[in-house]
Amino acid sequence: MHKDDNQVRVRFAPSPTGYLHVGGLRTALFNYLFARKHGGKFVLRIEDTDRKRSISGALEKLTTTLKGIGLQYDEGPDIGGNYGPYIQSQRTDIYKKYTQKLLDSGNAYYCFCSEERLNNLREEQRKRKRPPMYDGKCRDLSKDEVEDNLAQGMPFVIRLRYPREGKTVFDDVVRDRVAIDNSMVDDQVLIKSDGFPTYHLASVVDDHLMKITHVIRGEEWLSSVPKHIFLYESFGWKVPVFVHLPLLLNSDRSKLSKRQGDVSVESYIQKGYLPEVMLNFIALLGWHSADDREIYSLRELEDAFSLDRINKAGAVFDIEKLNWMGGQYIRNLDVEYIADQSRHFFEEAGMDISDNDKYLKVINTARDYVYCLADIVEHAKMFYEEMIFSEEDRKLIEEENSQKIYSYWIEELGKKVGWEPEEISSLTKQSIGELGIKGKKFYFPIRLALFGNCHGPDIPTLIDILGTDESIKRLETCLTR
Ligand code: GLU
């Protein structure tokens, strides 16, 4: 027996659309986790047989995203493997061979119906509120008719001759036993008029040839399973285990938004949602641990994951929860790591972060306020840029109390260089005691002068980051008398 014969083998089989959908990432992640948990193989296969939808550059983008986020596959288009090629458009000869077998066994047939006829048929079915299905006109053409048509060069497709009667019953790990009336199953097109196979044929053939043991994918494919089983049985192949993951929903429980910005993994990564956050959040979309724990690293997920805790009910993509989790990670991970990940946002904003001590302090403070790294610049820029005051700010700055505070602090801070945060705390108490200005009347003007905002970090932190000289300079700019 070949060693792959008793090894778990799963696959992620996206179409190259140019971006990775969050639902796609969930499918990839669950496959990855299942493979890792069982010491199996995780395969990446590109399903690009819909030539109209294939986009150039999409493959590179996809592989970069998957690897960048940490889901390294064991076999795939760019790294090879024993069952390649892993791009379906490079496997057309294989599909031809298997289509011929189906034609020979009578499980598939040529269909010569024109686009126009099919459109009319669909229109009629729509009017009669029937599901759109092929009516079987070419199902029983004689051998001679077929050969004549082919000889005349008539365009054709090849369809599955799906049984009309009975039911198809199968087991799914998540949905348990599923029964679908055969009358609801279409004579699926297997080979299109451009000669390319459809997803259904190609994926079944590939899943078999690539020795896939478990098909883990989105629930939208559940109703296609009867066609797939029919194909497996027609070829005399073993049917894999099916695992259909629950639908992803918007907060209002409608099907997850189709707007690319909201569902593209790349756009979340670009905004600086950490890869760890995306994986952790996505792992909980339709799966939960035994103790409902929320925070997991990828390594921890590899141990904790199991198929029997995948939910049947749709999973809400709750952006609030994603943001909450984002904040948790940004605050709790190593500050050096967060600083590193944030660096390019600062560089793009043209900020000089060459003073690394200052930069680390800035990150350590600013990270309390954000859930994605793109926002960290917004909360950090006051430490790097000249302050611009509004008219309202100016009014507060010019108040007598504020001016008293500024003079006092300039004088006190000037007494030495290098103030420790605890000393600033004492100075704060001393200033409040001596000037008798406290609460908002103290904190708002001084924070405004140092940070450009009445709200924000505490005074010892601000002065620690800015340093004595810069703090004094900022206070001086606010002196009007
Ligand atoms: N190419 C299909 C998709 O993009 C794959 C479905 C499957 O996993 O079988 O959804």
Side-chain angles (χ1 to χ4, degrees):
M1 211 203 261
H2 194 272
K3 90 169 175 5
D4 290 348
D5 288 347
N6 46 22
Q7 182 180 47
V8 163
R9 290 180 54 83
V10 291
R11 83 310 193 266
F12 173 46
S15 300
T17 53
Y19 71 98
L20 179 56
H21 191 282
V22 288
L25 178 59
R26 195 223 3 213
T27 302
L29 175 61
F30 283 27
N31 276 285
Y32 170 92
L33 293 175
F34 187 64
R36 289 293 164 269
K37 171 110 193 203
H38 296 278
K41 295 282 184 239
F42 172 50
V43 177
L44 174 65
R45 180 174 76 222
I46 302 301
E47 301 205 327
D48 62 344
T49 59
D50 187 349
R51 303 311 284 165
K52 291 190 290 285
R53 286 179 51 210
S54 290
I55 291 175
S56 76
L59 173 63
E60 290 69 27
K61 204 169 159 191
L62 180 76
T63 52
T64 308
T65 303
L66 283 176
K67 291 179 200 169
I69 214 161
L71 299 187
Q72 179 61 57
Y73 36 91
D74 304 301
E75 298 166 28
D78 54 335
I79 57 170
N82 292 336
Y83 302 91
Y86 293 91
I87 299 182
Q88 288 188 327
S89 59
Q90 296 170 9
R91 299 172 62 86
T92 47
D93 287 346
I94 301 175
Y95 309 128
K96 270 202 195 101
K97 176 175 134 199
Y98 286 101
T99 307
Q100 193 54 51
K101 285 189 197 241
L102 292 171
L103 288 167
D104 294 345
S105 64
N107 288 324
Y109 63 90
Y110 285 95
C111 168
F112 299 93
C113 289
S114 65
E115 223 16 74
E116 190 190 348
R117 175 171 191 276
L118 295 175
N119 285 340
N120 291 339
L121 184 63
R122 270 194 292 270
E123 182 55 20
E124 210 179 285
Q125 287 164 333
R126 196 183 57 81
K127 279 195 206 136
R128 286 168 39 225
K129 299 203 162 36
R130 291 280 157 77
M133 277 172 77
Y134 182 59
D135 62 354
K137 178 164 185 283
C138 295
R139 212 170 138 110
D140 298 311
L141 292 181
S142 70
K143 215 166 172 249
D144 290 346
E145 281 171 297
V146 169
E147 265 158 27
D148 275 358
N149 288 347
L150 290 176
Q152 281 171 43
M154 265 175 91
F156 64 85
V157 300
I158 295 174
R159 289 181 184 274
L160 190 64
R161 190 190 306 275
Y162 197 80
R164 292 279 162 87
E165 262 102 59
K167 267 185 197 311
T168 300
V169 180
F170 60 93
D171 290 315
D172 179 89
V173 170
V174 180
R175 319 294 314 185
D176 303 325
R177 183 139 289 193
V178 182
I180 295 180
D181 265 327
N182 288 347
S183 64
M184 300 303 292
V185 182
D186 205 1
D187 277 3
Q188 179 63 50
V189 172
L190 302 175
I191 297 286
K192 294 172 283 184
S193 54
D194 64 4
F196 275 91
T198 55
Y199 151 74
H200 302 278
L201 176 71
S203 71
V204 166
V205 167
D206 288 349
D207 284 344
H208 171 73
L209 295 179
M210 296 179 181
K211 294 200 155 75
I212 299 303
T213 55
H214 297 71
V215 168
I216 306 174
R217 63 185 168 196
E219 186 176 300
E220 62 275 24
W221 298 107
L222 189 69
S223 61
S224 299
V225 172
K227 297 173 199 172
H228 299 176
I229 291 181
F230 184 71
L231 284 168
Y232 283 105
E233 288 175 349
S234 303
F235 291 123
W237 293 340
K238 184 165 182 252
V239 178
V241 177
F242 291 111
V243 185
H244 285 88
L245 309 177
L247 289 179
L248 295 186
L249 309 173
N250 292 309
S251 299
D252 63 0
R253 304 200 73 79
S254 58
K255 200 168 174 240
L256 187 62
S257 154
K258 283 214 161 58
R259 280 207 314 263
Q260 191 171 326
D262 302 338
V263 293
S264 125
V265 173
E266 289 85 356
S267 75
Y268 285 100
I269 297 289
Q270 268 157 25
K271 285 183 211 144
Y273 285 85
L274 294 167
E276 307 62 353
V277 174
M278 293 310 289
L279 291 176
N280 190 161
F281 174 72
I282 296 271
L284 300 179
L285 292 179
W287 175 84
H288 62 279
S289 66
D291 55 1
D292 280 326
R293 174 175 151 192
E294 302 260 55
I295 302 290
Y296 278 95
S297 69
L298 184 56
R299 248 332 331 261
E300 290 166 338
L301 285 169
E302 288 173 20
D303 292 335
F305 186 75
S306 76
L307 295 180
D308 58 10
R309 277 196 304 277
I310 295 176
N311 311 329
K312 284 192 182 60
V316 174
F317 188 93
D318 180 358
I319 188 90
E320 302 283 332
K321 180 166 173 185
L322 173 63
N323 290 343
W324 168 79
M325 198 177 270
Q328 292 293 311
Y329 272 83
I330 290 177
R331 280 187 273 297
N332 294 321
L333 285 171
D334 226 26
V335 68
E336 267 100 6
Y337 174 72
I338 300 297
D340 236 23
Q341 299 290 310
S342 308
R343 188 153 300 182
H344 72 277
F345 292 105
F346 283 83
E347 284 161 359
E348 273 154 34
M351 280 175 211
D352 175 11
I353 53 170
S354 53
D355 176 346
N356 198 49
D357 278 352
K358 175 173 173 181
Y359 177 57
L360 287 179
K361 284 179 183 173
V362 167
I363 293 294
N364 203 25
T365 298
R367 66 171 165 171
D368 280 351
Y369 301 89
V370 301
Y371 50 80
C372 66
L373 299 178
D375 289 350
I376 220 162
V377 173
E378 198 45 45
H379 289 268
K381 68 175 186 215
M382 299 316 272
F383 294 111
Y384 291 106
E385 289 179 344
E386 296 264 319
M387 282 177 293
I388 301 163
F389 296 114
S390 67
E391 215 166 291
E392 210 181 314
D393 293 338
R394 282 256 156 243
K395 265 194 217 141
L396 178 58
I397 287 170
E398 282 164 21
E399 275 181 21
E400 200 182 327
N401 272 346
S402 313
Q403 292 294 313
K404 273 194 201 153
I405 296 169
Y406 301 152
S407 309
Y408 183 88
W409 279 74
I410 291 167
E411 196 183 325
E412 291 300 318
L413 287 177
K415 287 183 178 161
K416 68 178 195 126
V417 273
W419 289 75
E420 292 299 325
E422 305 78 62
E423 295 175 304
I424 298 295
S425 296
S426 313
L427 184 58
T428 302
K429 283 193 200 101
Q430 181 189 314
S431 151
I432 289 172
E434 287 183 18
L435 299 178
I437 306 168
K438 59 176 187 195
K440 277 194 215 170
K441 287 211 159 32
F442 168 71
Y443 286 105
F444 282 15
I446 192 157
R447 200 177 277 119
L448 186 58
L450 292 169
F451 188 60
N453 197 319
C454 294
H455 304 275
D458 61 20
I459 309 304
T461 305
L462 285 176
I463 295 178
D464 185 43
I465 295 174
L466 293 168
T468 314
D469 287 352
E470 176 67 17
S471 302
I472 293 176
K473 203 175 110 202
R474 288 187 175 201
L475 292 164
E476 276 170 352
T477 339
C478 291
L479 269 191
T480 52
R481 341 186 153 201

